[in-house]
Amino acid sequence: IDISTNINGIKISSCIMNASGILCCTEKELYNLMMSSSGAVVTKSCTIKPRKGNLKPRYFEWKGGSINSMGLPNLGIDFYLNFLEKKNSKKPFLLSISGLSIEENYLILRKANISSNMNAIELNLSCPNLLEKDKILGYDFSKISDFLENLFQFYKKPLGVKLPPYFEDFHFRKMAFILNKYPIYFVTCINSLPNGICIDINKESVVIHPKKGFGGIGGLSIKPFALANVRKFYTYLRKDIPIIGCGGICTGKDVFEYILCGASAVQIGTQFLKEGIPVFDRLIKELITILKNKNYSSLNSFKGKLNVF
Ligand SMILES: CC(C)(C)CCc1c(C(=O)O)[nH]c(=O)[nH]c1=O
């Protein structure tokens, strides 16, 4: 049974990898991922300078998943480029970037442009678009269009985008129209659902400190929305742009569902934080069992073949 995948020429031994932001910030965390069964290593979204991030508690687990307002804690682009230069593993690395402004993204990309040892950039479009306070770039279609137009003038290396969730067909079409104009290496759907709140009824309070308790929602409860985003982009994107699914994957069955919707690979966030490194071996085993029972020999036997009726 072959569960490897090929993201535009990047061969990934197993289609299951970590999601940006989860246990992928420090040297030790990146090393552990490099030595694990994760098919690739995705780094925490980085900025030009190291950041401490928001005050704690900034992450909380609830029955339906997770809520976070981390505030982009990371060791800065130079740390990650240096780690990439000195790593001696063949495992693919996706360097996630999330500048605090469009200008900062250009600065980071210029630095990344001279590094040879990463396989691709994962450009986080949930990054804030500082001009309008608390408005994320991913929901400002004209700004994204201008940004990508300028970006691809100078950035010629593999670059994929990580998208926030969309909910209306018009937005999927609009976003796919924009992305289809550029040499996009892959699209990762989705980032956390923005601005949810979780409540502790004993304290009658929110559960995280930053942003008056508002934070991104991840985990099982967002899976239906994440699957829908994968399916929509699989329908509207150029057929040569692979999709990486992310959102609420807890079992091999969830992985199967993403591939059925058209994903070529998947990323594990909340469940990886809950379970740690062993989650990758468990999901691989469960996925292989499902493929065996269905007599599928590889992902391509069923990728995108979701039935409607
Ligand atoms: C939300 C931002 C801080 C602008 C980007 C980093 C990020 C964070 C974070 O660092 O708070 N959390 C998420 O769930 N997704 C993200 O993309």
Side-chain angles (χ1 to χ4, degrees):
I1 302 264
D2 174 13
I3 60 161
S4 71
T5 190
N6 183 316
I7 302 283
N8 244 320
I10 303 173
K11 275 206 67 51
I12 300 186
S13 59
S14 146
C15 64
I16 302 168
M17 68 189 83
N18 72 292
S20 175
I22 312 298
L23 298 174
C24 59
C25 182
T26 65
E27 176 150 24
K28 177 135 183 43
E29 289 171 339
L30 292 173
Y31 182 77
N32 289 343
L33 269 169
M34 208 165 72
M35 309 312 285
S36 77
S37 306
S38 177
V41 178
V42 188
T43 66
K44 168 65 186 173
S45 294
C46 70
T47 45
I48 273 286
K49 292 197 172 37
R51 285 172 56 86
K52 285 199 180 65
N54 290 334
L55 292 177
K56 298 177 180 178
R58 59 193 189 184
Y59 180 91
F60 181 83
E61 243 165 60
W62 56 292
K63 193 161 71 287
S66 62
I67 181 170
N68 89 83
S69 184
M70 308 301 285
L72 261 177
N74 75 92
L75 297 178
I77 178 70
D78 294 335
F79 167 82
Y80 297 103
L81 291 179
N82 178 48
F83 182 92
L84 288 171
E85 285 316 304
K86 65 184 206 318
K87 72 172 173 74
N88 59 2
S89 139
K90 288 273 155 290
K91 183 168 286 187
F93 266 71
L94 303 184
L95 174 68
S96 174
I97 71 164
S98 180
L100 290 171
S101 68
I102 291 184
E103 287 62 37
E104 184 173 339
N105 275 318
Y106 286 137
L107 279 175
I108 299 171
L109 283 164
R110 284 192 200 291
K111 278 181 170 267
N113 215 358
I114 50 180
S115 162
S116 56
N117 228 356
M118 85 190 73
N119 299 86
I121 290 267
E122 185 180 78
L123 176 64
N124 183 354
L125 288 184
S126 285
C127 61
N129 153 24
L130 273 201
L131 304 180
E132 287 92 284
K133 194 85 195 74
D134 260 356
K135 183 171 182 182
I136 65 171
L137 187 55
Y139 292 148
D140 188 332
F141 296 116
S142 65
K143 278 227 172 31
I144 292 177
S145 207
D146 297 346
F147 176 45
L148 293 179
E149 185 63 38
N150 293 334
L151 187 163
F152 283 110
Q153 303 293 325
F154 73 91
Y155 198 78
K156 305 294 180 195
K157 293 188 167 178
L159 179 138
V161 291
K162 169 84 172 276
L163 299 179
Y166 299 96
F167 301 92
E168 287 178 44
D169 189 60
F170 166 72
H171 293 156
F172 289 111
R173 287 179 183 279
K174 184 86 190 137
M175 199 51 202
F177 175 76
I178 295 169
L179 294 174
N180 282 341
K181 287 190 292 184
Y182 300 105
I184 300 280
Y185 232 67
F186 62 86
V187 169
T188 304
C189 298
I190 58 176
N191 205 320
S192 49
L193 257 62
N195 293 321
I197 58 171
C198 292
I199 289 173
D200 174 337
I201 66 156
N202 301 322
K203 299 181 200 157
E204 299 180 12
S205 82
V206 294
V207 297
I208 55 173
H209 166 78
K211 291 177 61 176
K212 296 190 179 352
F214 286 79
I217 305 295
L220 190 57
S221 50
I222 76 168
K223 194 180 74 166
F225 303 104
L227 288 171
N229 274 255
V230 166
R231 190 64 185 167
K232 281 284 186 183
F233 280 113
Y234 185 71
T235 307
Y236 295 143
L237 281 178
R238 283 191 342 244
K239 282 291 159 269
D240 65 310
I241 303 180
I243 298 165
I244 302 178
C246 182
I249 294 174
C250 304
T251 66
K253 181 178 154 301
D254 298 327
V255 179
F256 186 88
E257 291 174 15
Y258 272 94
I259 313 292
L260 202 55
C261 285
S264 296
V266 296
Q267 294 178 348
I268 318 298
T270 301
Q271 191 57 32
F272 174 31
L273 190 54
K274 283 183 168 181
E275 200 170 325
I277 290 285
V279 72
F280 299 110
D281 280 324
R282 176 176 66 82
L283 292 177
I284 289 168
K285 203 163 58 50
E286 290 176 2
L287 178 64
I288 286 180
T289 302
I290 294 169
L291 265 58
K292 260 197 196 116
N293 294 341
K294 287 172 171 284
N295 221 354
Y296 289 145
S297 60
S298 80
L299 305 184
N300 287 330
S301 317
F302 65 104
K303 180 162 79 171
K305 297 183 177 164
L306 176 67
N307 293 311
V308 291
F309 56 86

